[in-house]
Amino acid sequence: GSDTTAVALAAALEAESCEIFGDVDGVYSADPKLVKDAQRIEQIGYAEMQELAESGAKVLNATAVEFAKEKNIAILVRRADGEGGQTIVRRHSPIGPGHVIGIAHESDVRLLSIKQDKGLVDDAVLAFLDELGIPGKQLNIQGRRTALVVSREHLEDTSACRDMLTERFEGGLSLEDDLGAVSLIGAGINQNFANLRRMMRLLEAEGIQPKGLHTSSFRITALIPQRKLEDAVARLHQEFIEKPETGQSC
């Protein structure tokens, strides 16, 4: 909220940039608490920063980045004590398409799967989720089954939710709550399947079988067992960030 307020004030003042001060000197390629060799990103595009924020990075609010993009305001992320460097968030990223710029993660997500009775989209299912106030990060409807990825903050009590859904829709329900999400972020990383293939080979080598996959123009996300998440973040960072010359090829 404070990030968004700051950008809104910058827009009202017709400023070209907005400085956000916090406890880190910029946006990093992974959570420095998990990855000791995480690298500060000098410059990053709006879209990539939004994907990082929505995929678990806590440095900037995704809504603030969207507001800055609409008003073409550069965001400068700096430490409050003035030490260290900074990250500039602006319209165009200096890094070419196809490269992974960061690894984001969420340590606790839920996978909700419901068998539908009607058509491709069962309005009753989606309406019930709205009643519970459960927004979906990723929605996949295939045949007569709806799968929804939900952040823990939006679904704390999985037992109560499971009971309500079972009562309302009877059978055909599953709710997994021991999952984490790890994401590769970068403009154009899905222009071919090289990054996805490399990610899957690495996870397989680590004995990790994803429960689900989701891709966009800027992101590849794998749902994996929560207990494997920290190791996966570290290994993916090694492959795609610390030695990018091999991380982008087949």
Side-chain angles (χ1 to χ4, degrees):
S2 60
D3 292 351
T4 305
T5 301
V7 175
L9 286 170
L13 295 169
E14 298 183 350
E16 294 181 355
S17 63
C18 177
E19 299 179 6
I20 303 292
F21 293 93
D23 58 359
V24 292
D25 63 339
V27 179
Y28 277 72
S29 56
D31 185 347
K33 296 177 182 177
L34 294 185
V35 181
K36 65 181 180 64
D37 292 322
Q39 304 168 13
R40 180 166 49 81
I41 301 170
E42 299 287 343
Q43 298 185 46
I44 185 172
Y46 293 126
E48 292 165 305
M49 187 65 243
Q50 278 185 286
E51 291 284 7
L52 279 172
E54 292 173 356
S55 301
K58 304 299 184 183
V59 180
L60 277 178
N61 182 282
T63 303
V65 180
E66 175 64 26
F67 201 114
K69 181 172 69 173
E70 291 177 2
K71 302 297 182 179
N72 197 26
I73 297 171
I75 300 177
L76 285 67
V77 183
R78 297 171 171 169
R79 280 178 62 100
D81 58 14
E83 296 183 0
Q86 66 178 11
T87 294
I88 302 175
V89 184
R90 54 177 26 140
R91 187 168 300 281
H92 300 296
S93 171
I95 299 177
H99 291 75
V100 176
I101 196 171
I103 314 293
H105 75 280
E106 280 193 85
S107 59
D108 201 347
V109 297
R110 286 84 164 91
L111 179 61
L112 175 64
S113 180
I114 305 172
K115 185 178 180 181
Q116 300 167 169
D117 295 326
K118 303 175 183 178
L120 181 62
V121 179
D122 190 335
D123 184 72
V125 173
L126 302 182
F128 187 64
L129 295 174
D130 276 341
E131 288 178 29
L132 298 178
I134 301 177
K137 293 178 67 66
Q138 298 162 25
L139 177 66
N140 180 39
I141 299 175
Q142 188 171 25
R144 294 190 178 274
R145 183 164 291 277
T146 296
L148 186 71
V149 178
V150 183
S151 296
R152 177 180 178 176
E153 63 187 286
H154 297 127
L155 182 53
E156 288 280 358
D157 192 340
T158 54
S159 296
C161 180
R162 185 183 288 108
D163 291 343
M164 286 187 288
L165 288 166
T166 301
E167 180 181 355
R168 178 71 70 94
F169 299 102
E170 298 179 350
L173 168 75
S174 66
L175 180 57
E176 297 183 65
D177 58 1
D178 58 350
L179 299 174
V182 59
S183 302
L184 307 182
I185 308 296
I189 62 171
N190 286 307
Q191 60 186 358
N192 56 46
F193 294 113
N195 290 309
L196 176 58
R197 292 171 60 203
R198 189 170 185 85
M199 180 185 195
M200 294 303 296
R201 286 199 299 267
L202 185 145
L203 293 177
E204 182 180 358
E206 295 296 313
I208 300 173
Q209 180 63 46
K211 293 280 187 174
L213 286 170
H214 180 79
T215 65
S216 74
S217 298
F218 295 86
R219 174 165 56 95
I220 303 172
T221 298
L223 297 180
I224 64 176
Q226 195 177 59
R227 68 184 185 279
K228 298 280 191 176
L229 185 63
E230 292 189 9
D231 289 341
V233 171
R235 287 289 293 113
L236 288 168
H237 191 274
Q238 289 174 357
E239 290 297 320
F240 286 91
I241 305 296
E242 295 171 43
K243 49 179 181 180
E245 70 281 355
T246 59
Q248 310 306 322
S249 64
C250 296

